Amino acid sequence: MSDSPAGRLQALFEGHRLTPTQRRIAHCMVRRAGDVPFLSSVELAELAGVSQPSVTRFAVALGFDGYPALRRHLREVAPPEPDAAEKEGEALNEYQQAVLAEIENLRHLAGLLADPAPVERAGRLLARSRPLPVLGLRAASSQARGFAYFAAKVHPDVRLLDEAGSMLTDRVDAAVRAGATALLCFALPRHPREVVEALEYARAAGLAVVTVAESAFAPVAAHSDLLIPAAVGTGLAFDTACAPMMLGRVLLEAMADELPDAQARLEEFDTKAAARGLFVE
């Protein structure tokens, strides 16, 4: 777990069964980790888009007498970053700030990966599933497509699921009939209802669901057997997803490590690509 303010906040929330509204508050607090220890309950409610009583109930759900007690605790365990960093940030334009925020997301991901056990477990689950369905809808479709493209070079049967509708459950059923045991899902905000429904259906069909989402409190968490978080950037009009993409490549590496013929498949592809002149030098 990262020793950053965001990482310490994440650790505080883990192990608690939170409602969707409370997950929204938690996610907001992680994103604003440096400011949260000095926000009133009203200010936090406005940032999270919830009511002030919801913030109070959230604090009680975490085991505190109320929000003031939670805020005192946060000032002890998640102090803000040095003022110098804030002043430096004020001198940057919005584009630079968005890039630096993504760099911070990657640093946070690196901290989470200090414990490789979840990724290694995911790699084993994905490698053993034949076929391997990879799900990603709307904003997450590019992440799923990128993973599936590279995974197909080392895994014998990868099936991309990037379209919603009634055919989606049909394709999940087909994968299960063919022997699938796990499903990889990329889930990014805003979360389509179809993703939650598809994961619920996949688990009911017997698939182990591995999910990459922006937070451990994302709506898909309740429908995942293993969720590994990777934050998205929110500084621009549309979210940026460098950390989820990086996590996808890390999972790809972990999966390849579990496939004994992965290197042979890559060498075979390179040989055929050279013979066909697929790429220019």
Side-chain angles (χ1 to χ4, degrees):
M1 178 65 63
S2 170
D3 195 40
S4 67
R8 290 192 288 272
L9 275 174
Q10 191 92 20
L12 174 65
F13 303 142
E14 288 178 354
H16 294 278
R17 187 178 297 277
L18 303 177
T19 67
T21 296
Q22 291 167 350
R23 289 198 299 268
R24 184 171 183 175
I25 298 170
H27 181 49
C28 176
M29 292 176 70
V30 171
R31 287 169 50 194
R32 301 293 295 269
D35 301 326
V36 163
F38 301 96
L39 296 177
S40 69
S41 60
V42 173
E43 291 170 329
L44 178 56
E46 290 178 351
L47 284 173
V50 303
S51 67
Q52 188 275 335
S54 293
V55 172
T56 300
R57 289 192 292 270
F58 171 72
V60 173
L62 294 178
F64 297 93
D65 293 335
Y67 181 73
L70 170 59
R71 186 170 60 178
R72 285 194 299 271
H73 178 75
L74 294 179
R75 290 178 179 179
E76 297 174 0
V77 303
E81 298 295 334
D83 291 340
E86 295 178 3
K87 293 179 179 179
E88 180 183 354
E90 292 174 359
L92 302 176
N93 63 46
E94 61 178 311
Y95 309 124
Q96 292 174 298
Q97 291 178 25
V99 172
L100 291 178
E102 280 290 60
I103 292 173
E104 182 57 32
N105 286 341
L106 289 169
R107 292 186 196 279
H108 185 229
L109 176 60
L112 291 175
L113 294 176
D115 177 9
V119 167
E120 291 172 349
R121 179 189 168 201
R124 289 191 294 271
L125 288 171
L126 302 180
R128 293 170 184 169
S129 184
R130 311 289 177 87
L132 171 61
V134 179
L135 172 65
L137 302 181
R138 294 187 181 266
S141 62
S142 61
Q143 305 296 326
R145 183 172 293 276
F147 181 94
Y149 172 78
F150 290 110
K153 299 185 185 304
V154 295
H155 191 288
D157 191 353
V158 179
R159 302 189 183 185
L160 177 64
L161 310 179
D162 62 349
E163 295 182 0
S166 60
M167 288 293 293
L168 180 55
T169 52
D170 291 347
R171 296 177 70 188
V172 170
D173 284 339
V176 171
R177 284 196 300 270
T181 55
L183 176 146
L184 173 62
C185 174
F186 289 87
L188 301 178
R190 301 169 63 185
H191 295 277
R193 182 184 305 276
E194 297 97 329
V195 170
V196 175
E197 293 172 348
L199 294 189
E200 186 176 14
Y201 187 87
R203 293 184 79 197
L207 295 180
V209 173
V210 177
T211 301
V212 172
E214 82 284 0
S215 164
F217 311 104
V220 293
H223 305 287
S224 304
D225 296 285
L226 174 59
L227 185 147
I228 307 177
V232 300
T234 58
L236 302 175
F238 299 100
D239 289 347
T240 49
C242 293
M245 181 188 71
M246 184 66 201
L247 179 53
R249 297 299 186 270
V250 169
L251 289 172
L252 187 63
E253 186 80 5
M255 182 186 75
D257 288 342
E258 295 293 329
L259 294 168
D261 58 347
Q263 187 58 41
R265 285 178 175 273
L266 286 175
E267 291 176 359
E268 180 184 5
F269 173 80
D270 286 341
T271 299
K272 291 183 177 179
R276 295 164 57 192
L278 285 182
F279 305 110
V280 295
E281 295 298 332

